[in-house]
Amino acid sequence: MMILIKLGGSVITDKRRYRTFNEETVSRLCNEIAESDRSVLIVHGAGSFGHVLAKRYALQDGLIDYGQVAAAARVQHDVRDLSSKVVDGLLKAGIPAVSVPPGSCFVMDGGRLVAEDTEAIRALASLGIMPVLFGDVVTDRKKGFGICSGDQLMEFLGGLFKPEKVVFVSDVDGLYDKDPKEHPDAVLIAEVTSATLAEVESGIGVDDVTGGVVAKMESMLRMSGDSRECVLVNGNVPGRLHSLLVGEEVISTTAKGGLA
Ligand code: ATP
Ligand code: IPE
């Protein structure tokens, strides 16, 4: 059975500084994944390789003026560069993997991902070469282009590969009742449902064009179901991802019961 993991942009990069890669953290996380000996599929976010320029040029709004075109190409280049670094970490940890840029093989339609041809991804996975997808600028039939987030790709891959467990790795211990970086008294929510999500406050993250932590929880709830756990865990704490993967109890937030 397979575990689907998203390495969030807030853990693999410094989201405040353009193109800052957290090499040590990524290499540790890749080793934790390899040592868990579980069958996994990895998606990653864009962090400061995507959000900084995407926000400056309003790429999430689609094509408005041709000044955005060079920025769209630049962001595609930058997130491919980031993805090579992540895949390098996986290969060094002994996990065969290949970067699959969503903007080069899928399109969107009004912000919705249209992934008609999945043969190559499925074939790679069945060969044992992990296809690694990531948040990218993707062309859009209606808007010219748009941003496809790693969280959208998680939902897509969740449908395609039916993982037993879904894990989002971020830089916080889980979901709090308010942003823990701004409120030291924020309280961690161990289990979240549609009903309890309404009580959560989110300060949208630094330069995040894809919705922040509440949007992430909504997609986690959509992916959660009768028998599927969907967990948010802190990747900056050494060993925590490994413990979660091997089935130990860890500090985290579990989304349950689907999105009402
Ligand atoms: P992403 O989508 O960038 O991959 P990520 O998955 O790592 O990146 P973010 O979308 O950046 O995660 O969300 C995590 C951030 O959300 C945390 O760094 C935290 O500061 C912020 N945040 C805001 N409100 C909350 C909240 N109520 N609970 C937890 N984190 C919150
Ligand atoms: C965003 O992807 C993609 C771009 C800005 C090009 P994500 O939304 O998955 O990235 P993170 O994880 O929040 O950094």
Side-chain angles (χ1 to χ4, degrees):
M1 286 294 256
M2 184 224 270
I3 304 179
L4 177 60
I5 302 175
K6 179 186 173 195
L7 300 177
S10 64
V11 69
I12 65 173
T13 78
D14 179 342
K15 263 184 126 161
R16 292 159 307 176
R17 288 187 296 156
Y18 179 56
R19 286 185 55 101
T20 313
F21 180 60
N22 292 338
E23 187 174 351
E24 269 174 45
T25 305
V26 171
S27 130
R28 174 177 52 74
L29 290 171
C30 292
N31 285 318
E32 290 188 29
I33 291 166
E35 281 158 21
S36 76
D37 214 18
R38 304 302 301 264
S39 149
V40 302
L41 190 60
I42 291 169
V43 169
H44 66 82
S48 60
F49 286 67
H51 288 288
V52 175
L53 287 188
K55 186 169 187 185
R56 189 176 305 158
Y57 290 91
L59 300 185
Q60 74 280 13
D61 296 339
L63 180 63
I64 301 161
D65 69 74
Y66 283 89
Q68 295 170 299
V69 170
R74 182 80 224 170
V75 170
Q76 288 186 316
H77 167 75
D78 286 345
V79 292
R80 280 155 185 67
D81 198 13
L82 171 65
S83 197
S84 307
K85 295 178 196 292
V86 173
V87 167
D88 191 51
L90 289 168
L91 294 174
K92 283 184 177 141
I95 301 173
V98 62
S99 181
V100 177
S104 309
C105 48
F106 304 136
V107 298
M108 294 199 293
D109 192 351
R112 191 178 53 85
L113 180 66
V114 183
E116 273 155 11
D117 188 354
T118 58
E119 185 181 347
I121 293 178
R122 287 182 284 113
L124 283 164
S126 63
L127 270 179
I129 300 176
M130 183 204 301
V132 177
L133 278 66
F134 50 92
D136 196 6
V137 173
V138 174
T139 58
D140 191 301
R141 289 171 183 163
K142 296 205 172 73
K143 302 189 335 180
F145 54 72
I147 302 286
C148 179
S149 72
D151 296 1
Q152 268 172 286
L153 294 162
M154 288 291 279
E155 290 191 52
F156 156 67
L157 291 171
L160 191 62
F161 287 97
K162 312 270 185 268
E164 59 167 324
K165 193 175 196 157
V166 178
V167 179
F168 286 77
V169 183
S170 186
D171 69 340
V172 278
D173 281 350
L175 182 71
Y176 289 78
D177 60 344
K178 47 197 171 195
D179 190 346
K181 289 190 183 143
E182 310 223 341
H183 306 274
D185 63 334
V187 178
L188 184 75
I189 305 169
E191 222 177 86
V192 68
T193 62
S194 278
T196 51
L197 187 61
E199 290 150 29
V200 170
E201 277 177 39
S202 138
I204 291 272
V206 202
D207 284 343
D208 197 319
V209 297
T210 52
V213 81
V214 168
K216 174 184 311 303
M217 265 305 142
E218 284 170 356
S219 70
M220 286 179 62
L221 281 168
R222 271 194 297 275
M223 295 185 77
S224 75
D226 300 338
S227 61
R228 184 193 283 156
E229 265 192 37
C230 204
V231 188
L232 177 61
V233 70
N234 194 340
N236 284 333
V237 181
R240 201 169 278 175
L241 177 61
H242 178 267
S243 299
L244 177 73
L245 294 178
V246 298
E248 291 165 14
E249 286 264 330
V250 297
I251 295 172
S252 59
T253 294
T254 302
K256 286 216 168 128
L259 186 67

